[in-house]
Amino acid sequence: MYVQELEPVADSLALSALVAALPLAVVLILLGAVRMKAHLAGLIGLAVAVLVAWFTYGMPIGQTLSSGVQGVLFGVFPIMWIVVNALWVYRMTVRTHHFDILRRSFGRLSDDPRIQALVIAFCFGALLEALAGFGAPVAICSVMLVALGFDPVKAAVVALVANTAPVAFGAMGTPVVTLSQVTGVPLETVASVVGRQTPLLALVVPLVLIWLVDGRRGLRETWMPALVCGVAFAAAQFAVSNFVSAQLADIAAALVGAAALIAVPSARKPAAEPVRAAVLTGTRSADLDQEDPRREVVRAYAPYALIVLIFSIAQIPPVKDLFAKATLAFDWPFLDVADSEGKPVGANVFSLPIIATGGTLVLVAGVFTAAVLGVRVLDSVREWGATVHELRYAILTVTSVLALAYVMNLSGQAATIGYFVAAAGAGLAFLSPMLGWFGVAVSGSDTSANALFGALQVTAAHESGLSPALLAAANSSGGVLGKMISPQNLTIACAAVGLAGREGDLLRKVLPWSAALLLVMCLIVMAQSTSVLGWMLP
C-alpha cells in the first residue's frame, strides 16, 4: 500500500506545496504565456506530475502510471463519450438541413433583435451547452445571430457572455460529474450546491445581453421579457439540479426559459424600425423568409425532444434501478493507495456505468434521431466517425488533463497544496471562485478546471473548517465566468463569424463583464459560507 505524504520536501508544507504545484504551473504557463496547444500542454504537465509523484512523493512508478491510466479511462468514458454522441446528433441535423430549419424557426419567433439574442444566445445556447458544450454554443449561436443581421463583433460578444450560467451543467452535467469524481463529494450534493449558485447568474445575464445589444434603450423597453426569462431559467435550473437530475438541469432551464420569454406579450411585439436599423448592422441571410413545411419544423425540433424524453424516462425509479445494475465496479489494477491518515481512497475501486451514463442515453437518442431525420445507417456511422475525428484533439486534451489530475490527487500532491492554501482561512470562500475562474480562463473548460483544482478545494475546505461541497461547487460556479475570456472560446467565436485575428478586440469587450460577474459570484460564495446566505445550502 502506498500512503500519501503531505510534507515530502524537507518536512516543510510550504516547500512541498511549491514542488507539488509544478505540474499545474507548467500547464498554466504553457497555455497562458507560451500559447501552446492545450493537448500538448496537458501531456507535458502529465509528465511533470508523474515525475513529481515518483521522485518527490515516492509513489511507486507502477501505481503512478496506473492512476494516470484511470484518469484517461474516465476522460474517455463517460466524459468524452457524452460529448462525441451529443455532437453526433448535431452533425446529423446539419447534414439533413434541419438545423437551418431550426434557425429560421427561431428567426420567426420575434423580429426584435433583442428578443432574438435572448432566444438564440441565452436559451438555445444553454440547450447546446447542455447537449455538447466545449465551444459548440458560442460557434453555433454567433453564426445564427450573424445570419439574422447582427454585426459580427456584437454577435460574438453576445454569444460569449451568454455562455455562462449553463456551463457548470453542460455536456449532460460533465463538469459536476468530474468534480464529484475527483473530490469524492457525492454528485447529488455537488449539483445541489452549484444549483444554488449559478441560477443567481441567470437572473442577471439576460439583462446584460439586452444591454450589449441595445444599451439603455434596450433595457428600458425589454427589461420585462429579459427578467422573466432569467427568473424562469434560474428556477428551472435550481429545481431540476436539486430534485431531479444534474444531467437534465440545463435542458429544462433552456426550455422553460424560452417558453416563459415567448409567453410575455411584449416579447412578441414587432420591433420599431429605428431599433432594427441600429442593431442589425450586418448582412441578413437570404433564406430567412423561406417557408418551411410544418412537418419539417417538427422534425427539426425532434432530436432535442427525443433527448429530453429519453433522459426523463431514465430518471423513473424502476428504470433507473434497472440501468444501475449494468454498472461495473472492480478493484483498479496495480493501485493500492491510502490517504495521509491511512484510510484507503475511493479510487482503488473503479465504477463503470455502461448504460446509466449520459453518453449512452444520448447515443440512443441519436439512433432515433437518425431514423426521424431519414439518415441512412451507413451515413450516420460515417457522421459518428467524423465527429470523433473532429474532436480528436479535445479528447486528447481532456484525457491528459484528467490523467494529470488523478496522478496529483492519488500521489498526494493536491492534498499538500490544499493544506497549504487552507491558511487563507475564512478568506478562502471569497478566493475559491477565482481559482475556478482562472482555471477555465486558461484551459477553456470547466471540466478541466474542476479536475485540476477540485480536490485541492476540498482539502483546503476540510482544513479551514469550511464546507467541502461549497468550495467544490464554487470552483465550478466561478469557472463558468472564465469561459468567455478563454483563448479557445475567443478563437472559436472569431472563426465562426469571420473575425480571425481579432481575439484581442473581443477580449477587451468581454473581460469587464467576466470580472464583474466573478466579483458577484465571490460575494455570493463568501456570504454562503456565513450566516448571511448559509441558509441557502442544502
Side-chain angles (χ1 to χ4, degrees):
M1 176 180 286
Y2 167 72
V3 180
Q4 296 174 353
E5 187 178 354
L6 296 177
E7 301 177 353
V9 181
D11 293 327
S12 168
L13 184 62
L15 290 176
S16 299
L18 188 64
V19 174
L22 281 176
L24 296 178
V26 167
V27 171
L28 298 179
I29 291 172
L30 290 178
L31 285 173
V34 181
R35 299 298 179 91
M36 182 179 288
K37 291 186 180 298
H39 63 280
L40 295 177
L43 290 172
I44 294 173
L46 171 59
V48 175
V50 168
L51 293 174
V52 171
W54 187 18
F55 288 110
T56 303
Y57 280 78
M59 188 179 197
I61 187 62
Q63 297 213 48
T64 303
L65 296 178
S66 180
S67 61
V69 171
Q70 185 177 140
V72 170
L73 178 57
F74 182 69
V76 173
F77 190 99
I79 302 305
M80 293 309 297
W81 178 238
I82 297 171
V83 179
V84 166
N85 289 322
L87 282 178
W88 172 54
V89 173
Y90 162 70
R91 285 179 65 99
M92 285 192 290
T93 66
V94 173
R95 181 186 182 92
T96 59
H97 301 291
H98 284 89
F99 185 75
D100 292 329
I101 296 173
L102 192 69
R103 172 172 55 82
R104 289 192 289 270
S105 175
F106 287 155
R108 285 190 288 268
L109 290 175
S110 172
D111 72 343
D112 190 327
R114 300 164 298 190
I115 303 301
Q116 290 173 341
L118 292 179
V119 171
I120 293 173
F122 187 68
C123 296
F124 186 60
L127 185 60
L128 291 173
E129 183 67 37
L131 301 179
F134 291 88
V138 170
I140 295 168
C141 292
S142 56
V143 168
M144 278 188 160
L145 291 174
V146 169
L148 291 173
F150 278 69
D151 172 73
V153 172
K154 183 170 290 187
V157 169
V158 167
L160 285 165
V161 174
N163 192 219
T164 48
V167 169
F169 295 106
M172 295 301 177
T174 295
V176 290
V177 169
T178 303
L179 188 59
S180 172
Q181 183 74 13
V182 300
T183 61
V185 180
L187 175 60
E188 294 77 12
T189 303
V190 171
S192 178
V193 180
V194 173
R196 296 162 194 245
Q197 294 172 343
T198 56
L200 299 176
L201 291 177
L203 299 175
V204 179
V205 171
L207 296 170
V208 173
L209 297 179
I210 293 297
W211 174 274
L212 289 171
V213 172
D214 196 30
R216 292 181 180 177
R217 178 181 59 187
L219 279 180
R220 186 174 62 251
E221 296 179 1
T222 56
W223 66 269
M224 178 61 76
L227 186 60
V228 168
C229 178
V231 169
F233 186 102
Q237 191 181 59
F238 161 75
V240 176
S241 63
N242 276 268
F243 306 114
V244 183
S245 165
Q247 287 87 348
L248 288 174
D250 278 349
I251 293 177
L255 297 177
V256 172
L261 173 62
I262 300 303
V264 178
S266 59
R268 300 192 301 273
K269 292 181 180 178
E273 191 54 39
V275 173
R276 292 179 55 79
V279 176
L280 301 180
T281 55
T283 303
R284 189 171 180 268
S285 178
D287 69 346
L288 285 178
D289 297 324
Q290 178 180 328
E291 288 294 329
D292 298 301
R294 184 180 297 273
R295 178 172 179 270
E296 295 305 314
V297 173
V298 171
R299 292 174 72 189
Y301 282 90
Y304 309 102
L306 284 168
I307 290 175
V308 173
L309 177 63
I310 289 171
F311 269 82
S312 299
I313 292 173
Q315 298 305 313
I316 299 174
V319 178
K320 192 173 184 178
D321 294 341
L322 180 64
F323 287 173
K325 292 179 180 178
T327 298
L328 300 178
F330 54 91
D331 291 332
W332 187 257
F334 309 110
L335 195 65
D336 188 11
V337 178
D339 61 22
S340 57
E341 298 177 355
K343 300 176 182 177
V345 299
N348 291 332
V349 178
F350 190 78
S351 295
L352 199 64
I354 305 300
I355 299 177
T357 185
T360 302
L361 297 178
V362 176
L363 178 65
V364 173
V367 172
F368 284 108
T369 294
V372 170
L373 300 184
V375 181
R376 294 182 301 177
V377 174
L378 185 58
D379 289 337
S380 64
V381 172
R382 285 174 177 165
E383 286 294 338
W384 195 90
T387 304
V388 173
H389 183 265
E390 178 184 337
L391 290 172
R392 61 193 184 282
Y393 293 121
I395 293 172
L396 188 55
T397 299
V398 170
T399 52
S400 62
V401 168
L402 279 164
L404 181 155
Y406 269 63
V407 170
M408 290 190 66
N409 294 345
L410 292 176
S411 66
Q413 295 173 59
T416 297
I417 300 172
Y419 275 81
F420 181 72
V421 171
L428 186 60
F430 182 84
L431 298 174
S432 184
M434 293 186 184
L435 191 59
W437 175 85
F438 182 70
V440 176
V442 174
S443 70
S445 166
D446 200 35
T447 300
S448 297
N450 287 344
L452 290 173
F453 300 130
L456 184 159
Q457 298 264 25
V458 168
T459 301
H462 280 301
E463 290 306 300
S464 61
L466 296 172
S467 165
L470 174 63
L471 294 201
N475 193 83
S476 193
S477 298
V480 306
L481 300 169
K483 195 83 180 278
M484 69 178 83
I485 63 169
S486 69
Q488 291 90 324
N489 254 23
L490 291 170
T491 301
I492 288 171
C494 285
V497 298
L499 297 174
R502 294 185 60 184
E503 288 84 358
D505 294 340
L506 292 187
L507 178 61
R508 284 189 289 274
K509 290 181 178 295
V510 299
L511 181 58
W513 294 108
S514 178
L517 292 173
L518 174 63
L519 176 61
V520 171
M521 181 55 65
C522 289
L523 293 173
I524 290 171
V525 174
M526 185 174 69
Q528 288 178 333
S529 70
T530 68
S531 58
V532 177
L533 291 182
W535 52 268
M536 290 183 64
L537 300 181

